[in-house]
Amino acid sequence: LQVRPTADALWPSPYEPWSQFLTGTQGRDPGWDPLGTAVREAHARGLQLHAWFNPYRIANHTDPGLLAAPHPARVHPDWAVPYGGKLYYNPGLPEVRAFVQRAMLDAVARYPVDAVHFDDYFYPYPEDGESFADDDAYQRHRGAFTSRADWRRNHTDLLAREMAAGITRVRPTARFGL
């Protein structure tokens, strides 16, 4: 079950707004707990519930003004990068990586999900004539990396390792997949 499609949530998250896919309006409470219901009903039928998360995709458009007012990308506009007709969190910012982990681990801690899967957990694919605007993050946080590609791969590896450790800490029986 996709539970965090675009930096929003299918559960009452203290970190991100309700998903627009529930009511048509991001941030609108659907009046029930979709993830809680899905886990309960799956387990009642002897099924596992695997929760799917998109760590970095914020929106399928580039206008932060279309996001719910309390959306983290509006509160922290420096975290967002428009690219390829979409809006993404900047994986090169340590505070972004920490935030997306907190947001996702909230669901893992609250619900007895059987597995966590990541979808689109990497930098977006190259778009002709566009570059992913992470120059400032690269200059501030590159450390010993002399290759931006290696630096970016490192963020992907860090997110996977840190989330695996977080899932094991919060829900040791849950599996993790990319």
Side-chain angles (χ1 to χ4, degrees):
L1 175 67
Q2 178 62 264
V3 301
R4 188 177 181 266
T6 52
D8 51 16
L10 269 69
W11 73 95
S13 170
Y15 299 101
E16 295 173 310
W18 283 104
S19 177
Q20 68 181 2
F21 298 109
L22 296 169
T23 64
T25 302
Q26 189 178 65
R28 182 179 294 159
D29 186 337
W32 62 294
D33 181 353
L35 179 54
T37 300
V39 170
R40 185 177 59 254
E41 293 300 321
H43 289 172
R45 289 163 175 78
L47 300 172
Q48 292 188 356
L49 191 290
H50 291 210
W52 286 73
F53 298 84
N54 284 319
Y56 296 128
R57 185 187 316 138
I58 297 172
N60 292 319
H61 57 74
T62 60
D63 184 357
L66 297 176
L67 301 171
H71 195 288
R74 288 187 69 175
V75 175
H76 302 280
D78 55 311
W79 289 6
V81 177
Y83 182 78
K86 296 179 181 172
L87 203 56
Y88 295 92
Y89 281 127
N90 185 343
L93 297 173
E95 59 269 31
V96 165
R97 194 174 67 250
F99 170 77
V100 299
Q101 288 178 57
R102 278 193 310 275
M104 293 183 291
L105 285 172
D106 175 63
V108 177
R110 287 179 186 229
Y111 303 98
V113 297
D114 299 288
V116 170
H117 297 278
F118 278 180
D119 194 13
D120 294 347
Y121 59 94
F122 41 78
Y123 282 78
Y125 292 114
E127 295 277 340
D128 287 341
E130 289 190 59
S131 62
F132 192 83
D134 61 355
D135 291 346
D136 184 58
Y138 180 63
Q139 291 305 316
R140 287 185 321 178
H141 303 290
R142 74 179 180 188
F145 287 97
T146 57
S147 161
R148 188 178 305 224
D150 289 344
W151 176 76
R152 286 177 174 172
R153 279 188 289 277
N154 183 60
H155 295 306
T156 301
D157 293 346
L158 282 173
L159 178 67
R161 282 196 307 269
E162 291 168 357
M163 270 303 288
I167 292 164
T168 298
R169 184 180 67 253
V170 171
R171 189 160 305 282
T173 59
R175 298 166 79 181
F176 179 49
L178 302 173

